[in-house]
């Protein structure tokens, strides 16, 4: 895919998106270095290099970013959004000092419009990347199929499946996001690129019925209001119907997982 023989560093390379990206890059013949806080996992692709480092303390980052052609920053923790800010600062400091030529950051559609703590943190990380002194690319994507399925599983564990009222989602296949990130690595610094959304905008009731059917579960589906700071979701600010470029639908993804 690229002539550069230097590796691409992937943060969060053991997570849902990171794993998919590592395999996508390796399949394209691109050398990969995975950043992890732990020693190499037995499940890690043997072709991938491994770098142990801590994004919160900065330990090991200088060595991890040295000699790379690009950094793709996939590491994130929805449970501790403030940690994402500290991690971004540490990564940018190390990347700038090492003269890294390109940093790609994957964000979420609606981070600038949804008043949710994790989204606010992701938007602030975007600003840190833009001002970090390293040539950059930012891609916003909608939620992954995996995340939506996990949420639906939680909401359907009782005798009744609950669907948040007045809300829709646009799930996208994580492998399609990984493929787009690999393309952006090859393209070089491109600034804020077009959003990447899944192929369909579906109500939570439609998603829940699809999930239950694929799982073979029989449950009544109740549409209920959910409290909390969800107004941005109810207004659809996390959707990008004009960029529904993903191909794999949620139903197709569920069917493939249920075989």
């Amino acid at each position: 895919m690229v002539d550069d023989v230097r590796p691409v560093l992937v943060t969060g390379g053991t997570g849902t998106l990171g794993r998919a990206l590592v395999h996508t890059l390796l399949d394209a013949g691109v050398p990969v270095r995975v950043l992890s806080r732990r020693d190499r996992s037995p499940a890690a692709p043997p072709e991938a290099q491994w770098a142990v480092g801590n994004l919160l303390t900065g330990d090991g980052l200088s060595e991890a970013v040295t000699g790379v052609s690009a950094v793709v920053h996939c590491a994130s923790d929805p449970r501790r959004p403030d940690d994402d800010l500290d991690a971004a600062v540490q990564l940018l400091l190390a990347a700038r000092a090492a003269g890294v030529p390109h940093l790609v950051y994957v964000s979420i559609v609606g981070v600038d419009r949804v008043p949710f703590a994790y989204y606010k943190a992701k938007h602030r990380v975007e600003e840190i990347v833009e001002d970090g002194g390293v040539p950059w690319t930012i891609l916003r994507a909608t939620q992954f199929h995996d995340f939506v399925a996990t949420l639906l599983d939680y909401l359907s564990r009782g005798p009744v499946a609950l669907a948040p009222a007045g809300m829709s989602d646009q799930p996208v296949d994580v492998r399609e996001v990984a493929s787009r990130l690999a393309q952006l690595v090859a393209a070089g610094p491109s600034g804020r690129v077009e959003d990447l959304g899944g192929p369909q905008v579906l109500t939570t009731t439609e998603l829940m019925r699809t999930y239950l059917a694929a799982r073979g579960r029989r449950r009544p589906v109740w549409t209920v209001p959910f409290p909390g700071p969800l107004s941005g979701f109810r207004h659809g600010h996390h959707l990008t119907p004009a960029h529904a470029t993903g191909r794999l639908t949620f139903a197709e993804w569920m069917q493939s997982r249920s075989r």
Side-chain angles (χ1 to χ4, degrees):
M1 188 174 72
V2 292
D3 295 328
D4 200 326
V5 297
R6 294 174 297 171
V8 172
L9 178 69
V10 178
T11 74
T14 59
T16 300
L17 174 59
R19 287 195 306 270
L21 176 59
V22 167
H23 285 286
T24 299
L25 291 169
L26 290 174
D27 288 346
V30 179
V32 176
R33 182 181 297 168
V34 176
L35 177 68
S36 175
R37 286 181 296 179
R38 302 174 180 84
D39 290 335
R40 178 186 286 271
S41 165
E47 314 95 298
Q49 301 176 21
W50 204 260
V52 177
N54 191 314
L55 285 167
L56 297 182
T57 65
D59 293 341
L61 294 189
S62 177
E63 295 82 1
V65 300
T66 297
V68 302
S69 64
V71 174
V72 185
H73 186 30
C74 299
S76 188
D77 190 347
R79 299 165 301 177
R80 300 180 179 86
D82 287 345
D83 284 357
D84 279 14
L85 307 183
D86 295 335
V89 170
Q90 293 288 356
L91 182 61
L92 263 297
L93 288 173
R96 185 171 61 196
V100 170
H102 186 196
L103 187 140
V104 181
Y105 178 59
V106 60
S107 188
I108 308 173
V109 172
V111 290
D112 55 341
R113 303 186 69 190
V114 175
F116 189 59
Y118 181 55
Y119 277 49
K120 290 180 179 179
K122 296 287 282 187
H123 188 221
R124 181 69 186 112
V125 172
E126 289 185 357
E127 296 173 337
I128 292 171
V129 170
E130 292 170 6
D131 297 333
V134 178
W136 55 272
T137 300
I138 292 175
L139 170 70
R140 291 181 183 177
T142 53
Q143 297 289 350
F144 305 148
H145 292 316
D146 311 65
F147 173 81
V148 173
T150 298
L151 179 61
L152 294 172
D153 177 70
Y154 176 78
L155 293 174
S156 62
R157 290 181 181 176
V160 173
L162 305 178
M167 291 176 57
S168 298
D169 214 331
Q170 190 180 353
V172 66
D173 184 33
V174 67
R175 293 166 297 184
E176 294 175 342
V177 179
S179 178
R180 181 66 178 131
L181 288 172
Q183 293 171 358
L184 293 172
V185 167
S190 304
R192 168 82 187 282
V193 298
E194 289 187 351
D195 296 343
L196 173 58
Q200 297 174 317
V201 174
L202 301 169
T203 67
T204 52
T205 300
E206 291 171 325
L207 288 165
M208 181 62 80
R209 294 192 189 283
T210 298
Y211 176 82
L212 293 173
R215 284 283 186 260
R217 297 182 184 175
R218 295 184 178 274
R219 302 274 196 288
V221 179
W222 287 4
T223 302
V224 294
F226 271 60
L230 299 178
S231 60
F233 295 109
R234 283 191 284 267
H235 286 98
H237 295 326
H238 62 302
L239 308 174
T240 181
H243 298 102
T245 50
R247 295 185 177 182
L248 190 71
T249 68
F250 183 68
E252 292 168 339
W253 183 84
M254 284 299 308
Q255 289 167 4
S256 69
R257 295 292 292 262
S258 302
R259 291 170 187 162

